[in-house]
Amino acid sequence: MLSVENLRVVYQEVISVLQGVSLKVPDGEITVLLGANGAGKTTLLRTIFGLLPVYDGKIIEGNVFLDGVSLNRFHSSVIVKKYRITYILEERPVFWYLTVDQNLKAAAFSRPNREISGEIARVLKIFPKLGSLMNTKAGFLSGGEQQMLTIGMALMTKPKILLLDEPSLGLAPLIGRELFGIIRNLNRDGLTIFLVEQNAHAALSVAARGYVIEGGRIVLDGTAQELIHNKDVREFYLGVAGGDQQRFRDAKRYKRRKRWL
Amino acid sequence: MMDFLQFFCSGLLNGLVYALLGLGLVLIFRASEAFNFAVGEFLVVGAFLFYFFYFNWGLPLLIALPLGLGAAGVFGGIVERSVIKPLMGRPHLSMTIITLGLSNILAGGLQATVGSNPYNFSVSLPDLTLDLGPLIFPSTNVWAGILSLAFFTMILLFLYKTRWGLVIQATSESQPKALCFGINAQSVLLLVWAIAAACIGASGIVISNLGALSSQISVVGLRAIPVVLIGGLDSIAGALVGGLIVGIAESLTGAYLEPAGLIGFKEVVPYFVLLIALFIRPYGLLGRVRIERV
């Protein structure tokens, strides 16, 4: 189980982004993290994945644990290779100037040479569409195809836990729905998924548990069902009107009173 | 007509050497997005390392050459670790500027250790003088072309046919993306600098073999600037094209324009070609057009 305990993170020694975040990602489940822009979602993923030093960030308190082992000090290459966690960036991390085939092979860097062709066959079984595009440069693929390739590349690293940063960003709704179907299938095959999303409706429909992050703190957590029926989540994330506050300023005041901000 | 062919082909042979030099710069630029202004000093250091193994220790060529290039690679790696890596995550311009400083420090170091006297540098290679009636190519020039082409091809094979080469291409495109898949971007950068230093060192050896070795030949490194800018800073094929263009332009200018009174124009002509090339294609003839979003 991946767990984050009382994590505080600052960028450039001054910008405080996470202010004591704690959450748990149980094995074999889809856990979703909801939050507005700038709430600290991406920073949390970077921290788990050991990318903070690249962005001049620092953990000043707290820990990221995987089955009781602290991951704080590890470089991302160790986290991928030894702890089998893979992170998919918000911008689809395909290499534009390489072909689909080369992309898959490059992503399999942490795997031994002899396993690569078997892994590619496995990925192509999940995404048959990529098979006909093997010699196309990834920069020429459509957004949906790039997202398939991204997930395929992540699978090449043979992860146990997949950190997904807004996979539905910039995709047509229909393709987004297909994507969430794929995510659910991957989870059914045993992959633990930590999903960061703005598309709360789709995310909560596949997830088992969820957390809401605001201003660098977890303000709400519960099972997906609880969150879907929560009055505040319905209003702020699902866009179902029902509260009394109609204006942005009122909403902000309301959130502050509830100690969300 | 025969004269023209003679000068054209001599230029072609020289151009291959420039291409190898340019390749070293292109590799570094693609991976670190920094222009290595210390290229001239890299060239001299590489040549002296080989000199040390071949002439001082008297090792056979087939052992001294890999040893010398390996030592040049280690030198490039040390430079990356000590100078470039601490600047990771900073603006790319700062890396370029620091290579300017590095160039001065290395030049001073070379002055202090090996001085500025020329060293006799003639590698004993089989005579390959090409005597085709009216066309004559001296053995050293032919060897320069052959060796440069061989090194160039070897590096291309490594880049495009091996797994590490693929990882280098991927990391050169985007370090954050590479980090996502567990590629250790720092060791890839180390490798790239080592290969590039060996590549520049190899051209240093070839250039020294055309005349003599001295710390003064670092000025040849400046010739690499028009080479890579003409071809495109991030294009490997561009380094080859740029190198050949500069080599041929120099040779033809030396033959036809200098006797007409334009003494010293040979040194300047690469920059004229560069100017024209940049007017036509601002990113170099084969460079990628950068699309940057704000």
Side-chain angles (χ1 to χ4, degrees):
Chain A
M1 182 168 70
L2 181 70
S3 66
V4 172
E5 285 176 16
N6 194 27
L7 198 63
R8 286 179 62 205
V9 168
V10 291
Y11 282 125
Q12 292 165 11
E13 312 273 342
V14 282
I15 306 164
S16 171
V17 183
L18 299 183
Q19 332 197 359
V21 170
S22 300
L23 53 77
K24 285 184 167 54
V25 182
D27 286 341
E29 281 187 11
I30 299 181
T31 307
V32 67
L33 179 68
L34 302 174
N37 288 335
K41 307 186 297 291
T42 302
T43 301
L44 178 60
L45 292 188
R46 283 176 187 165
T47 312
I48 295 173
F49 196 65
L51 281 185
L52 270 188
V54 179
Y55 297 93
D56 207 2
K58 216 164 120 188
I59 300 176
I60 52 173
E61 207 184 317
N63 274 299
V64 178
F65 287 112
L66 180 68
D67 301 327
V69 183
S70 171
L71 298 183
N72 285 15
R73 301 208 155 271
F74 291 118
H75 186 262
S76 56
S77 60
V78 180
I79 290 182
V80 172
K81 200 176 162 109
K82 188 162 170 216
Y83 296 99
R84 310 245 72 93
I85 301 177
T86 296
Y87 168 37
I88 297 187
L89 284 181
E90 192 171 344
E91 33 149 350
R92 298 169 202 118
V94 297
F95 300 108
W96 284 35
Y97 298 100
L98 300 182
T99 65
V100 170
D101 185 44
Q102 287 173 322
N103 263 295
L104 290 172
K105 281 179 182 154
F109 176 71
S110 60
R111 312 291 312 153
N113 224 343
R114 60 197 139 75
E115 289 180 16
I116 290 181
S117 54
E119 290 289 320
I120 289 182
R122 198 169 67 96
V123 168
L124 290 185
K125 207 179 276 173
I126 302 172
F127 303 110
K129 205 174 171 189
L130 290 181
S132 57
L133 299 166
M134 284 307 256
N135 294 317
T136 314
K137 291 230 162 113
F140 294 129
L141 300 181
S142 73
E145 287 161 353
Q146 281 183 0
Q147 195 66 59
M148 311 273 144
L149 177 58
T150 304
I151 295 178
M153 285 164 77
L155 292 180
M156 291 297 288
T157 64
K158 240 182 173 176
K160 281 193 193 129
I161 301 175
L162 193 58
L163 312 175
L164 273 162
D165 199 350
E166 301 206 18
S168 70
L169 191 79
L171 293 183
L174 211 60
I175 295 173
R177 203 173 302 157
E178 197 185 330
L179 184 75
F180 280 104
I182 290 166
I183 290 174
R184 190 183 290 158
N185 284 340
L186 289 176
N187 173 249
R188 215 164 276 160
D189 294 339
L191 189 62
T192 306
I193 292 172
F194 185 44
L195 182 64
V196 164
E197 259 294 343
Q198 301 236 23
N199 183 351
H201 204 82
L204 285 174
S205 70
V206 297
R209 288 188 67 80
Y211 293 87
V212 176
I213 187 169
E214 284 266 350
R217 276 172 299 148
I218 301 289
V219 292
L220 208 62
D221 72 291
T223 64
Q225 282 307 313
E226 280 167 17
L227 287 184
I228 287 176
H229 294 111
N230 182 292
K231 179 167 157 272
D232 297 326
V233 173
R234 280 170 72 83
E235 181 167 355
F236 296 129
Y237 293 98
L238 300 176
V240 183
D244 306 322
Q245 45 293 136
Q246 299 294 325
R247 285 181 303 170
F248 178 68
R249 209 182 59 206
D250 292 340
K252 210 161 177 180
R253 193 179 294 152
Y254 173 76
K255 280 184 178 178
R256 191 166 291 137
R257 205 168 56 233
K258 296 201 70 177
R259 299 191 170 277
W260 273 33
L261 288 180
Chain B
M1 185 60 213
M2 274 304 161
D3 272 3
F4 178 78
L5 214 59
Q6 167 80 52
F7 292 122
F8 187 85
C9 294
S10 304
L12 210 65
L13 290 177
N14 282 341
L16 286 171
V17 183
Y18 292 148
L20 185 63
L21 196 56
L23 179 63
L25 284 184
V26 166
L27 287 177
I28 288 177
F29 184 80
R30 275 161 58 116
S32 298
E33 300 217 9
F35 191 93
N36 182 10
F37 277 108
V39 55
E41 282 69 29
F42 270 56
L43 189 133
V44 178
V45 168
F48 266 112
L49 286 169
F50 171 75
Y51 185 91
F52 184 69
F53 287 117
Y54 185 67
F55 293 101
N56 283 9
W57 282 20
L59 294 173
L61 181 65
L62 281 179
I63 299 174
L65 192 60
L67 262 182
L69 294 182
V74 170
F75 169 73
I78 293 171
V79 167
E80 198 272 342
R81 271 294 119 105
S82 56
V83 179
I84 301 300
K85 193 186 157 211
L87 293 177
M88 279 265 274
R90 303 281 174 85
H92 299 302
L93 187 63
S94 54
M95 292 190 198
T96 303
I97 300 298
I98 208 166
T99 63
L100 271 174
L102 181 70
S103 155
N104 281 323
I105 292 171
L106 288 178
L110 282 169
Q111 195 69 253
T113 49
V114 298
S116 49
N117 297 329
Y119 287 65
N120 185 22
F121 198 103
S122 59
V123 181
S124 57
L125 291 164
D127 191 20
L128 274 186
T129 307
L130 271 183
D131 194 345
L132 308 167
L135 302 179
I136 295 179
F137 301 104
S139 179
T140 49
N141 288 54
V142 176
W143 270 111
I146 291 176
L147 286 177
S148 303
L149 199 61
F151 285 130
F152 202 96
T153 322
M154 262 162 56
I155 291 172
L156 283 197
L157 284 178
F158 177 77
L159 267 186
Y160 290 107
K161 292 289 170 206
T162 68
R163 215 173 144 192
W164 272 97
L166 185 63
V167 172
I168 287 177
Q169 289 182 62
T171 312
S172 299
E173 190 185 317
S174 162
Q175 287 175 24
K177 290 178 185 176
L179 285 171
C180 279
F181 300 108
I183 295 171
N184 192 339
Q186 284 168 359
S187 37
V188 172
L189 282 188
L190 183 70
L191 182 67
V192 169
W193 275 77
I195 293 173
C199 179
I200 297 170
S203 55
I205 295 168
V206 170
I207 290 167
S208 308
N209 195 36
L210 290 172
L213 169 63
S214 82
S215 52
Q216 306 301 322
I217 61 167
S218 64
V219 291
V220 182
L222 291 181
R223 216 66 56 78
I225 297 172
V227 168
V228 291
L229 288 178
I230 288 172
L233 264 173
D234 51 6
S235 163
I236 288 172
L240 185 60
V241 172
L244 295 182
I245 288 176
V246 168
I248 292 167
E250 268 187 3
S251 172
L252 292 183
T253 316
Y256 294 108
L257 290 181
E258 290 207 340
L262 290 165
I263 306 298
F265 195 61
K266 194 178 160 185
E267 310 289 317
V268 193
V269 76
Y271 294 93
F272 269 89
V273 180
L274 169 64
L275 210 58
I276 296 166
L278 291 190
F279 273 131
I280 303 166
R281 280 185 61 90
Y283 293 91
L285 295 179
L286 298 171
R288 273 176 201 151
V289 179
R290 274 167 192 260
I291 299 163
E292 292 191 5
R293 288 185 194 154
V294 181

